[in-house]
Amino acid sequence: MLVLGIESSCDDMAAAVVKDGRHILSSVVSSQDDIHKKYGGIVPELASRRHIETVVPVVDEALEQAGIKLAEINGIGITQGPGLVGSLLIGLSFTKAFAYVYDIPFVGVNHIVAHPLAVFLNGRGGPASKTAVKPHTPLPIPSFPLIALVVSGGHTTLFKFDTFVDYTLLGQTRDDAAGEAFDKVAKLMGFSYPGGAVVDRLAKEGDPSAINFKRPYISKDSLDFSFSGIKTAVLKHIKGIGDELSEEEIKNISASFQEAVVDVLVEKAFLACRISGVNNLILAGGVACNSRLRERAIERGKSNGVKVFIPPPSLCSDNGAVIAAAGYHLIKAGKRGDISIDADPNLEY
Ligand code: KG4
Ligand code: ZN
């Protein structure tokens, strides 16, 4: 079954063709980092305007790279939420019209729930181009039940999945998302949006024990997160220095902040495994690109007997392939969207 996945929830317009929820035939991502970086964050109005221009070419390119004709598509998965309402509406309105005209079944997908499905994907995203998902060797396939930690720019969420379509929310952030904290700390040090990858790079040359930022565990048994305090602690630390930050200070702040966030993410993810009696763990979402998080989760998995699955970075950040995979499983389970479904910026799990 060939499913087209379309993702437009935030600042990326993405489309992909995936066969049987597993094999990526194409994956095209049109990023807007060039537009938003000078504003220090995403400007919703600019994001949706650019989506209007990119939706048709991105879908066309995904079909072309997959080498398939429209008539061969058996279903469409489209992000229904959560996200920016203006951005979501572009992808959803396009999908409704497209599905109606060509008589293709479609289904609304929860973006956050779709992220972990990246570990079930393999294949390549069409010819190596700047916009295509890079080819990667197939990952071992995890078995259910499994715990998934989704760490992105807007969400930090723990789920237990019993099947592809049955899942339970275990915990989530009470304030800032992990990615948001990375972006804000990067901004405090003078870097443009999104700053997570920059902090990751700088942290490699810094001392993670240089500054002891308090780890926000909330309580020993809580599976919720809170990252706003640590961001304020970084702000206070920077103000305390007063002068312009030296290169060494920037590297040490990056490493110390990152270590504190990674400590909490790893601790809570493995606590969720322990509480649920589950020994398969997925890390997904843009922050799962973080090299220290990947390293620490793999190390901890080895000592705890938990199998850790982390997608290649190109499938951690936003892409259409995970939406296609989620769409495939929902359509197989009998779910269908219709012309009345609406974008939901706060779509629940
Ligand atoms: O999942 P994603 O691509 O988009 C959302 O759904 O939000 O996640 C984007 C987030 C941004 O906050 C970005 O700074 C962060 O992922 N990110 C990273 C790294 N690469 C991307 N954070 C830490 N380390 C990285 N290497
Ligand atoms: Zn995302």
Side-chain angles (χ1 to χ4, degrees), residues 7 9-12 42 111-112 115 150-155 178-183 193-201 258 284-291 316-319:
E7 153 62 33
S9 63
C10 196
D11 58 335
D12 290 320
I42 296 163
H111 174 97
I112 304 303
H115 262 299
V150 184
V151 262
S152 71
H155 294 80
E180 197 177 346
F182 267 96
D183 295 335
Y193 175 87
V198 179
V199 173
D200 186 355
R201 184 168 47 75
Q258 176 176 276
V287 182
C289 294
N290 185 268
S291 55
C316 285
S317 42
D318 288 346
N319 64 84

Side-chain angles (χ1 to χ4, degrees), residues 9 19 33 128 156 159 206 219 227 248:
S9 63
K19 187 167 180 247
D33 287 353
T156 305
F159 295 104
S219 75
F227 292 111
E248 195 193 349

